[in-house]
Each structure stands twice: as structure tokens, then as C-alpha cells.
Amino acid sequence: MSGPAWQPVPWQGGGPGQPVPSPMLAAHADRERAVDVLRAGFAEGRLQQDEYEKRVEQAYGSRTLGELARLVADLPQGPQPFGTPFAQQPYPGRAAGVPATFLPAPAATNSKATGALVCGVLCVFTGGITGVPAVVLGHMARGEIRRTGEQGDGFALAGLIMGWLSVAGWALFVLLMVAAFSGGQ
């Protein structure tokens, strides 16, 4: 009998022209992640029962990330590959990018921060009447942004600055008016 004694099964990878699998040792979390990928593949009908059970057994017995990668190379793997160093290495079946479905949603901009900015800008057109709402909304938005991690701190800060300038302008105007009326008597 000629030829190599070991023939790679298609889902095991490691054939000619394929990247060398990672020799980094796998952690328990890496094995669990591989089993999760296998479980999802089985649930989606991508794997038969016997193949799923065989791969799960091999996943728990794997020592390296390369062995785990070969077990899941032909399955969709979601947003997180095995370990950061290994994530930088290509392996068979790995997509070039992560589908947008699996990416975290971008953080939303705080609506109060947007309101503060709008009120601050409107100060110019309303003669400063919207300055107080800009200040109130700006302070509330910055507090919420610190608590929740939302976006919009720049909007809130800009609204605060314009609002406080408007309030200071009104205070100066009132002070000058009082001085003008009291000085004339």
C-alpha cells in the first residue's frame, strides 16, 4: 500500500498548500468555544449526529488551537476566533471578515446630548432663551453618558458651553439694565 498512512478528512484541514495550524496550547475556554460552534452547526443541520459527537469528543481532547481550528474550519464561527494571537493567523475556512450581524451594535448617541446641542445652537436665533434648557440637558446628558457609555459627550459639552455663554450674556444684560436704571435716579 503506497501513499501516506494518514489522510486528512476534509474538515480537519492541514492538507497541501494550507496554513500550518497554531501550535499554541488551547485553554478550556477555547475548547468550550469550539464545542459551541459545533453545537450551533449541529443545530443548523450542518453536521450529522455521529459527526457532531465525534468532533465534540475530539474538541475536548485537543491540546492546541490548531487542532480546534481544524474541527470548526468548515462551520460559521461567529465574531470571536480562538485567542488573540491565533486570530491573526489564517486557517482553512475562516472568512476574511466578520459579518456585520455578529459585530456589536455601535453605541447610540445620547438624545439629551443632541437636545443640548440643538438648544445651544438655537440660542443664537432665539436671543438666548434656549440657553437654560441647553445647560440642563447638557449636564443630564454628561451624567448619563458616564453611566451608560453612550456616545455624544462632545454634543453635550458644546451645548453646555453655548448654553452657559447665553446665560452669562443674559446675566450681563440684566446687570447692565439694572445699573442703567438705578444710576439714572
Side-chain angles (χ1 to χ4, degrees), residues 167-185:
V167 169
W170 270 104
L172 181 63
F173 176 74
V174 169
L175 185 63
L176 291 175
M177 293 303 288
V178 168
F181 286 125
S182 65
Q185 294 181 7

Side-chain angles (χ1 to χ4, degrees), residues 14-149:
Q18 293 182 342
V20 176
S22 174
M24 183 182 293
L25 293 177
H28 295 297
D30 297 323
R31 289 182 195 90
E32 290 301 325
R33 171 79 176 126
V35 170
D36 287 344
V37 171
L38 292 170
R39 189 176 297 121
F42 176 68
E44 293 170 351
R46 297 176 191 273
L47 297 173
Q48 297 296 322
Q49 176 82 29
D50 58 336
E51 184 178 3
Y52 163 72
E53 291 170 357
K54 183 178 173 184
R55 288 193 196 190
V56 167
E57 183 180 330
Q58 289 177 344
Y60 283 122
S62 296
R63 291 204 19 91
T64 66
L65 292 176
E67 293 171 4
L68 291 173
R70 283 191 300 264
L71 291 173
V72 298
D74 60 345
L75 298 171
Q77 297 181 35
Q80 299 174 353
F82 303 104
T84 305
F86 182 66
Q88 298 166 356
Q89 298 179 10
Y91 60 90
R94 177 164 178 210
V98 176
T101 307
F102 294 116
L103 294 175
T109 301
N110 185 288
S111 59
K112 289 180 180 148
T114 305
L117 179 63
V118 169
C119 288
V121 169
L122 288 177
C123 286
V124 176
F125 304 108
T126 63
I129 295 173
T130 57
V132 173
V135 169
V136 172
L137 287 171
H139 281 294
M140 290 172 65
R142 292 195 79 198
E144 285 181 10
I145 289 168
R146 280 189 214 103
R147 259 192 334 273
T148 64

